Amino acid sequence: MDRVSRQQRKGTVEPAPQVIEPSLQLLQGILDYSPTLIYVKDMQGRYLLVNRQWQRLYSEAGEDALSLTDEEVFSEPSALALRRNDQAVIDAGAPITFEEATGTAGGDHHTYISAKFPLLDDHGRTIGVAGISSDITDRKVAEEALRASERRMSLIFEAVSDVLFLLAVEPNERYRFVAVNPAFLAVTGLAREQVVGKPADEVLPPDAYAFVLPKYLESIRENRRVSWEEVTDYPTGTLYGHVSVTPSVDDSGRCTHLVGTVHDITDLRRRELEIQKLNVELEDRVAERTGELEAANKELQTFVYSVSHDLKAPLRGIEGYSRLLLDEYADQLDETGEFYARTTHDAAREMSNLIEDLLEYSRMERGPAARGPVELRPLVEKLVAARHQEIADGTVTVTVGIPDETLSVDEAGLTQALRNLIDNALKFTRGVAEPRIEIGGGSTSGTFTIWVQDNGCGFDMRYHDRIFEIFQRLHRAEDYPGTGCGLAIVRKAVERMGGRVWAESVPDQGATFFLELRR
Amino acid sequence: MTRQDLDRPILLVEDNPMDVDLTRRAFAKRHLVNKLEVARDGEEALAFIDRWEAGEPPPVVILLDLKLPKVDGLEVLRQLRSHQQFRSIPVVIVTTSSEDADIRAAYELGANSYIVKPVDFNRFLDVAQQIELYWSVLNTPPK
């Protein structure tokens, strides 16, 4: 309805006298159905009139509310406050609006916005106070909850040790600091008034601003949290930060704010860098030590090698001349003299074997193993064939049960190892009634195992490891001659191609030697 | 195969006097005909080249040890193989070393054979005999 038609209606519609009657009814209706409290009190504070809502809330059942006073309805402090307000209206002689918190003795608490005005008689004297009170209890509770929530949020905001900031998103890709927490100020060394209310480009250094701008845009455009790590030099020191911004979107979907966090990872980074540095140092030290060890090892191997060689020269003399003595002067030697010469000669031969084994062992120790395909069965058969004389002499039953298998191994090393194991088996079955040697093999998923089993004298399992050590012998040389290098060479040969060896035995029943190789 | 080859010497380059003696005895025991000349180190071995240049008959074969004082065996071999006139004299390495590296190096420098000295004197006798049989009887060396 516009102004003109209102004017027109004013001009045309005359108020009819008879509307007064329905007006009283209307007023009664308003009184009865208003959700607000409507009441009139006399100068003594006695209720002269209360509406139905007032009665509903504050009258006992069947009680007549009229002539009650606030003291009889409300708790003492509430009644006192109400009376003070009423008096203020009377004193002012004009309407006043109050916020009134009331409580009954029964504990019914409400908060009202009360418009109170003085009630005048025909002579203009104040005869009472009338009031209209709207219940704002729910609103007050909600407001209080909100305030409490805000207080809590603010407490968190203040207490968090991470940097927090709130940016208002403004037109033309501009951002303004709305709030920052104490951690922000502590890290940046800025005062609150240097930050809050200022545009981001005034607060942040230009390069830092240029760096974060695309991140802000990305977060807004994709409406998601965007995070990154950055290193910033602040007056308080260099900060390694894990930074994030999270968009805050209004009901229309527009991003109004960005919530930023910076988690200080300086200590973490420093520690990481320190660990990296320590690792590098450690690696250097390990490399250095390894180098030293390798050098020492090489030196030792060279030493063993050259000693072995140099020992051979005088040995050739001992062997050669004792042989010449035995050959050319046999007729001039008595039995004892010949025994001396022969023992000297035999000892030289034994030492020669020892040196040969030592050289073989030393060769196994040096350098990595060569790798190539080796057909296992033909190799074993060849090795057995090479010992046919010894096998025939000892009437040994040799069975070979090796499946067709081609392994990628060091052929020379494997040949040496198997030869030594076969020789070993032949040696330790000497003197057994029906000597038997069984050479077998089988595979698992990643390995191939070869075993050489004999029914010879065996060994005590207490020594199952020692037998693979160099110069370790479990038997007297006169019973089973040998240098004590054979099994050490087996182990060295197998280990350098990544395999392992072990043995099982029952004394006087035999021994089984296993070679496990990678397939 | 000529009588003349048996007249030419065999040069033994060996520093160990015991080995020299045993070699002599081995040659004697197997009744080898060739005269055995001895150089006691690498320098002496190289000095022989001058003597051949001066007209002495070059050896039918050189038995060369590798580990030698002053100039080692491989260096002697290298210098001999680069000599215009005497580069083709057969050289048999007779040494204690059975190292792959030594064997390869010797052959690469032009050794004709490589023998690891046996400790066993009887085997050494066989070696001595076979050396003469092969290099001075069966083999025809260059003049």
Side-chain angles (χ1 to χ4, degrees), chain A residues 444-461:
Chain A
T444 61
S445 58
T447 60
F448 190 88
T449 306
I450 308 163
W451 59 85
V452 178
Q453 189 169 40
D454 65 62
N455 62 342
C457 66
F459 61 88
D460 189 327
M461 278 301 277

Side-chain angles (χ1 to χ4, degrees), chain A residues 181-200:
Chain A
N181 71 341
F184 182 103
L185 302 173
V187 164
T188 58
L190 297 169
R192 191 175 294 273
E193 53 273 19
Q194 289 175 285
V195 182
V196 174
K198 305 282 186 202

Side-chain angles (χ1 to χ4, degrees), chain A residues 305 309 316 319 321 366, chain B residues 19 21 29 96 99 118 121:
Chain A
Y305 185 76
H309 268 298
R316 255 196 323 279
E319 209 277 348
Y321 288 112
R366 279 174 299 158
Chain B
D19 271 342
D21 183 62
K29 262 180 105 70
T96 53
E99 278 298 272
F121 187 69

Side-chain angles (χ1 to χ4, degrees), chain A residues 334-399:
Chain A
D334 62 5
E335 207 178 307
T336 312
E338 198 203 316
F339 172 74
Y340 291 166
R342 190 162 301 285
T343 308
T344 307
H345 182 257
D346 289 351
R349 294 289 291 273
E350 198 184 315
M351 187 162 172
S352 167
N353 289 339
L354 193 60
I355 290 170
E356 286 304 328
D357 280 355
L358 201 57
L359 280 170
E360 186 58 43
Y361 183 81
S362 143
R363 223 193 313 277
M364 286 293 166
E365 251 190 339
R366 279 174 299 158
R371 266 184 194 281
V374 175
E375 282 184 69
L376 206 53
R377 197 146 53 98
L379 173 65
V380 172
E381 282 166 353
K382 199 173 73 190
L383 287 170
V384 171
R387 291 287 179 267
H388 71 278
Q389 195 59 53
E390 289 88 335
I391 292 167
D393 288 351
T395 58
V396 185
T397 311
V398 178
T399 48

Side-chain angles (χ1 to χ4, degrees), chain B residues 58-74:
Chain B
V60 67
V61 64
I62 299 172
L63 308 182
L64 180 62
D65 193 6
L66 289 183
K67 288 193 180 106
L68 291 171
K70 298 178 187 171
V71 180
D72 77 14
L74 289 176

Side-chain angles (χ1 to χ4, degrees), chain A residues 265-282:
Chain A
I265 52 170
T266 308
D267 282 352
L268 192 73
R269 272 289 164 278
R270 288 236 170 89
R271 245 167 272 155
E272 271 177 14
L273 289 172
E274 214 153 285
I275 287 168
Q276 271 171 21
K277 204 176 123 218
L278 283 175
N279 273 344
V280 168
E281 276 174 24
L282 198 64

